[in-house]
Amino acid sequence: GTTFRIFLPLTLAIIDGLIARVGEERYIFPTLSVCESFRPTPDMITRVQGKGEVVKVRDRLRPILRLYSHFNVEPRTKDPCEGLLIVVESANQQRCIMVDELIGKQEVVIKSLDEKFKANKCLAGAAILGDGRVGLILDVAALVQLRGRQGEAAA
């Protein structure tokens, strides 16, 4: 005679995400926005005076966004050739996002963020990962639109 009731909010959303690590933090890229990931070689990277760095991907130059700079996180490496670049796309524009390593692919439940985090337009939400840690879900459209030196802005 036991009755269980489960109430799910209408805003419950699940996305397929690519989990990447930068330092000790974990970030989730929606897989629909990810084109590819690779480890660049030194000859692929060019520094543009006053604009930052670009990488040559399939004969096209793509700006590099250092995720650790945007979120003020200490990375394991600052050299793009020792990390990985994730090519993301939004509105026919692509950027290469530098991360330390890829952890894997996972379906995650999007949780809304507190008011403190809503000021950062590059965050779409958060998710509790399988090991109990929190991963921040990135808003790829906002990341692609970043302007300024190396396409970075302080969080």
Side-chain angles (χ1 to χ4, degrees):
T2 303
T3 303
F4 293 97
R5 290 187 181 180
I6 298 175
F7 294 95
L8 296 176
L10 293 175
T11 58
L12 184 68
I14 298 174
I15 64 162
D16 199 21
L18 186 65
I19 303 169
R21 183 185 324 226
V22 177
E24 294 301 314
E25 303 299 323
R26 295 175 185 193
Y27 298 94
I28 303 167
F29 294 84
T31 54
L32 292 174
S33 302
V34 175
C35 299
E36 64 182 304
S37 63
F38 64 97
R39 186 177 312 270
T41 58
D43 61 314
M44 295 171 72
I45 297 172
T46 306
R47 197 174 262 306
V48 179
Q49 185 66 28
K51 298 283 186 181
E53 296 170 301
V54 294
V55 62
K56 191 171 187 175
V57 181
R58 304 194 189 288
D59 293 326
R60 296 188 71 181
L61 294 176
R62 304 280 181 228
I64 296 176
L65 172 69
R66 294 173 179 260
L67 207 55
Y68 68 84
S69 246
H70 181 71
F71 288 106
N72 296 322
V73 175
E74 186 61 38
R76 284 203 283 176
T77 180
K78 293 185 178 184
D79 181 4
C81 298
E82 292 178 15
L84 291 171
L85 295 179
I86 299 174
V87 181
V88 295
E89 181 174 29
S90 176
N92 292 326
Q93 292 184 339
Q94 292 184 341
R95 297 285 184 274
C96 292
I97 313 292
M98 183 182 156
V99 298
D100 290 337
E101 68 175 316
L102 292 178
I103 296 173
K105 184 177 158 188
Q106 182 177 336
E107 285 186 348
V108 295
V109 178
I110 300 173
K111 305 278 186 187
S112 60
L113 293 171
D114 188 57
E115 292 299 321
K116 295 180 219 173
F117 292 97
K118 289 188 178 180
N120 189 332
K121 302 294 184 202
C122 294
L123 295 176
I128 299 172
L129 303 174
D131 62 359
R133 296 188 74 187
V134 174
L136 295 173
I137 301 170
L138 299 173
D139 183 343
V140 173
L143 284 173
V144 167
Q145 295 303 317
L146 285 178
R147 297 284 186 244
R149 183 171 166 75
Q150 296 182 1
E152 298 168 358

